[in-house]
Amino acid sequence: MAAESTALIDLGVLFAAVAIAGLVAQRINQSVIPFYILVGMVLGEYVLGRLDFPALLGTELVPHGSELALLETEFIYLGAEIGIVLLLFFLGLEFNLDRLIAARDRIGKAGTWDLGINFGLGFVLGWAIFGSFLPAFLTGGIVYISSSAIITKSLIDLGWIANDEAEPMLGTLVYEDLFIAVYLSIATALVFGGGDVVEAVGQIGVAIGFILVLLLLVYLGTEWFQRALETDSHEFTTLRVLGITVLISGAALSIGVSEAVAAFFVGMAFSATEHVHDLENLLEPLRDTFAAIFFFWIGLVTDPSLFPGVAGLIVAAVAVTTPTKLVSGYLGGRIYDLDERRSVRVGLGMTVRGEFSLIIASVALAGAGAGLAQGTAEEIYAFAVGYVLFMSLLGTTLMQYSDRIESVVVPKLERVSAPTPQPIDD
Amino acid sequence: MTIYESDLPGVGKKFEVELDDGSRLVIVTHNTGKREVYMKASADADGDKLFEASDRLARKIGTILEGAYFQPVQTEQVETMLSDETYLEWYGVTENAEIAGQSLAKARVRERTGVSIVAIQRGDELISPPTPETVLEVGDTLVVIGDREDCLEFEALLGDDHRA
């Protein structure tokens, strides 16, 4: 794993690479996330590190690729960790319990359909392939959770944010985010529980206890969180928030509770204060910087030579879970009283999977040799990365070409939902 | 005049304003302060983006729409609702206003009507807050806060009692 130190030049290469990847993604109108992952993969030990340039080019003047490849150093690993913490912190920050309660009927219905259909079939698929509970549980999570980051950005870019389809989409994402906070704490406990039931139950107990303490902190500590940031200085605000968030996340991880979940609840605690807008503005660039390191790291530790081994699983998952999201999204749209066309759009948008599937994958990888066999963990990880690469590109493309898809699909749906009074014999 | 408000979790808020011809103006206020303005031909149509504006620019546009810079309409029609029952209104002091030429202390506006004069616009000058010694002059624009009843009484005091 991570052993060596990072030279400044390595970090320079990392940032330059993600900056160029972002530029390319922007040029071809695609989401940046898959490109960050790909560039990390290319510059890592599994691609660049295996290129024997001297042999290829027949000259000793060029160093072997392994001398140029970036390694997973402690710094990059921790940077990725901070990326996860900040992603989930923002999720908590923008999570509003009152809103959820106010719209609980619709969000609850749409979200439960989404959960039942996608997690259910994902779990069945995982069970069919791996034949045991924990891998199935992880597969279910990976294919269930849509990408808040990509979907929200696409909604704004395409101008859908002004239309009615934005509400069921964002509402369902809120439900998913809350579910994933609970799910991650259980998944982390199971993965680190060493596969032993008693130990796993103990771990889940610790996790639930920790979450209850955090919830109590959220519930009772608003005043304190409000006071903690009473300062006019951006510098102090930023440092205090990082001090509180990273410290609590780190404390959680050190007792085996998911750092992501802890960060989510700390974000939620701050969401009740008056500092929300300041925090969003101040920390957004920081979040994006470390999130880029996280996606780069995901690519860096991915061995593409494992893809052929999980290709069947990826194809099966794409074939099963693209339609499931289309169906659950469509149902969500109907629950919000949208017409066929807009409900189809909701389904198209919800197919995008992204950052959270990767966070679950990193949990699986971290548990290699504990709750999961080394081989199984690597398989799940490679599957998740390949799956997210494909689904993030597919989903954003579906959204971009929704006009054409609607013109084909919507008339058929209208015929089904509003059958003509005369029976047609053909 | 119907205005629909809805939350966009993680993005901000959306307001839909129903216009007279059945079309809708959609204003998306982002958490970042950015505003995006869309137009929908009808309630079911897709929104066409008209423009986006920074927080500052949006507020500027808002005050122009509010009539703060140029008011071809009668001044007593300019009103801003602060809450359900409180209005912020602009009134011009005309020659037939009983209180023209009096100081605020003498005019006893608050005791007589219940409204508070929060600012006085006199040419390029803004007197805010006015003191009890401030004298009201013809041509002043008064910015007042009060409920509907108090504002009507104040209008009567100004001599424009055609609405009272």
Side-chain angles (χ1 to χ4, degrees):
Chain A
M1 285 293 283
E4 298 168 53
S5 62
T6 312
L8 192 59
I9 177 106
D10 292 352
L11 265 191
V13 170
L14 186 157
F15 283 123
V18 292
I20 293 167
L23 185 73
V24 171
Q26 199 190 6
R27 278 284 154 80
I28 59 173
N29 241 337
Q30 274 292 356
S31 162
V32 293
I33 291 177
F35 288 83
Y36 292 168
I37 300 170
L38 283 172
V39 80
M41 217 184 298
V42 169
L43 291 177
E45 55 185 323
Y46 297 114
V47 178
L48 185 59
R50 287 178 181 160
L51 287 178
D52 190 355
F53 286 121
L56 283 172
L57 303 170
T59 165
E60 289 299 320
L61 294 173
V62 199
H64 190 285
S66 59
E67 293 171 45
L68 302 170
L70 294 185
L71 295 172
E72 186 209 10
T73 55
E74 195 69 49
F75 186 91
I76 293 179
Y77 178 73
L78 270 180
E81 195 89 81
I82 295 171
I84 296 177
V85 165
L86 287 176
L87 278 170
L88 268 291
F89 173 79
F90 259 76
L91 212 56
L93 200 60
E94 289 167 349
F95 189 87
N96 189 319
L97 208 57
D98 302 340
R99 264 183 220 166
L100 182 67
I101 290 165
R104 66 179 177 275
D105 284 357
R106 285 165 151 191
I107 290 183
K109 266 193 206 146
T112 308
W113 274 111
D114 175 51
L115 172 69
I117 294 174
N118 293 289
F119 191 88
L121 280 169
F123 187 88
V124 170
L125 183 76
W127 190 276
I129 302 230
F130 296 104
S132 63
F133 174 80
L134 188 52
F137 186 68
L138 293 170
T139 310
I142 288 166
V143 302
Y144 157 62
I145 182 104
S146 295
S147 167
S148 299
I150 304 179
I151 292 174
T152 305
K153 194 173 175 308
S154 300
L155 281 177
I156 295 169
D157 290 347
L158 294 169
W160 289 12
I161 198 78
N163 301 337
D164 296 339
E165 58 266 22
E167 278 173 76
M169 288 169 92
L170 294 169
T172 308
L173 288 175
V174 167
Y175 184 103
E176 287 190 0
D177 294 344
L178 190 63
F179 177 84
I180 217 70
V182 178
Y183 169 91
L184 272 178
S185 54
I186 295 172
T188 310
L190 288 173
V191 163
F192 290 117
D196 180 60
V197 176
V198 178
E199 206 174 324
V201 169
Q203 275 287 357
I204 290 177
V206 169
I208 290 173
F210 194 83
I211 286 175
L212 285 178
V213 169
L214 283 172
L215 271 176
L216 220 60
L217 194 71
V218 169
Y219 186 69
L220 302 172
T222 308
E223 192 63 29
W224 183 84
F225 280 101
Q226 174 73 28
R227 271 211 313 277
L229 299 186
E230 292 295 353
T231 167
D232 290 336
S233 152
H234 286 175
E235 177 187 358
F236 291 161
T237 308
T238 311
L239 290 175
R240 287 176 198 179
V241 171
L242 285 177
I244 294 167
T245 312
V246 179
L247 183 65
I248 294 180
S249 303
L253 196 60
S254 66
I255 59 167
V257 178
S258 164
E259 77 282 20
V261 178
F264 176 82
F265 283 110
V266 174
M268 227 165 118
F270 279 114
S271 76
T273 67
E274 291 159 12
H275 304 294
V276 174
H277 291 321
D278 290 349
L279 290 180
E280 281 175 350
N281 290 333
L282 284 174
L283 294 179
E284 197 178 357
L286 206 61
R287 176 200 63 183
D288 293 342
T289 304
F290 283 105
I293 298 182
F294 167 67
F295 296 124
F296 186 91
W297 168 81
I298 286 277
L300 202 61
V301 297
T302 301
D303 183 351
S305 65
L306 292 177
F307 281 153
V310 291
L313 179 53
I314 294 175
V315 170
V318 169
V320 171
T321 63
T322 307
T324 51
K325 276 284 176 187
L326 291 173
V327 170
S328 62
Y330 180 82
L331 289 173
R334 300 301 279 179
I335 288 164
Y336 273 73
D337 297 328
L338 303 188
D339 59 21
E340 283 85 359
R341 194 164 59 94
R342 294 196 189 287
S343 301
V344 167
R345 277 190 196 176
V346 176
L348 293 175
M350 297 307 288
T351 56
V352 183
R353 315 296 204 284
E355 64 278 24
F356 300 112
S357 306
L358 296 172
I359 290 173
I360 298 171
S362 68
V363 168
L365 195 64
L372 285 167
Q374 184 79 31
T376 311
E378 280 174 2
E379 244 176 77
I380 292 176
Y381 181 82
F383 153 70
V385 174
Y387 176 76
V388 167
L389 282 175
F390 191 85
M391 290 311 286
S392 57
L393 294 172
L394 175 75
T396 43
T397 309
L398 286 177
M399 281 173 94
Q400 280 161 0
Y401 291 104
S402 71
D403 288 353
R404 295 181 198 181
I405 298 167
E406 286 162 28
S407 61
V408 175
V409 177
V410 173
K412 290 182 180 162
L413 283 169
E414 282 170 344
R415 232 172 299 152
V416 173
S417 61
T420 42
Q422 297 97 11
I424 304 166
D425 307 314
D426 52 331
Chain B
M1 184 173 69
T2 325
I3 299 178
Y4 304 90
E5 179 185 327
S6 48
D7 270 308
L8 303 171
V11 179
K13 263 191 188 308
K14 181 177 81 173
F15 299 90
E16 284 199 38
V17 185
E18 215 163 47
L19 302 178
D20 295 339
D21 62 354
S23 61
R24 289 186 177 193
L25 196 66
V26 184
I27 298 148
V28 178
T29 307
H30 289 252
N31 290 334
T32 55
K34 185 175 82 171
R35 316 280 204 286
E36 287 185 294
V37 181
Y38 294 82
M39 190 71 175
K40 281 185 186 176
S42 68
D44 301 328
D46 282 345
D48 283 323
K49 189 164 169 178
L50 299 176
F51 64 91
E52 62 178 63
S54 66
D55 186 43
R56 264 186 71 182
L57 184 59
R59 284 168 198 269
K60 199 64 153 181
I61 296 167
T63 50
I64 293 171
L65 288 174
E66 204 160 57
Y69 291 102
F70 169 65
Q71 299 172 2
V73 290
Q74 286 176 307
T75 45
E76 71 263 15
Q77 307 245 319
V78 180
E79 55 180 38
T80 304
M81 211 186 279
L82 294 175
S83 69
D84 284 350
E85 261 308 298
T86 313
Y87 291 83
L88 184 66
E89 301 224 29
W90 283 255
Y91 293 104
V93 180
T94 54
E95 286 174 8
N96 52 7
E98 171 199 335
I99 55 172
Q102 297 181 346
S103 70
L104 280 181
K106 190 159 178 294
R108 295 193 303 117
V109 169
R110 194 201 294 255
E111 292 91 326
R112 289 162 69 186
T113 66
V115 303
S116 316
I117 299 180
V118 290
I120 299 174
Q121 224 172 334
R122 183 172 295 163
D124 290 340
E125 180 189 10
L126 183 76
I127 306 162
S128 173
T131 61
E133 292 77 50
T134 309
V135 176
L136 298 167
E137 295 178 8
V138 173
D140 282 357
T141 302
L142 310 179
V143 185
V144 305
I145 290 183
D147 65 24
R148 165 73 60 198
E149 304 250 311
D150 296 346
C151 288
L152 288 175
E153 280 182 42
F154 186 62
E155 277 169 33
L157 197 67
L158 287 173
D160 317 325
D161 55 352
H162 55 270
R163 278 211 303 170

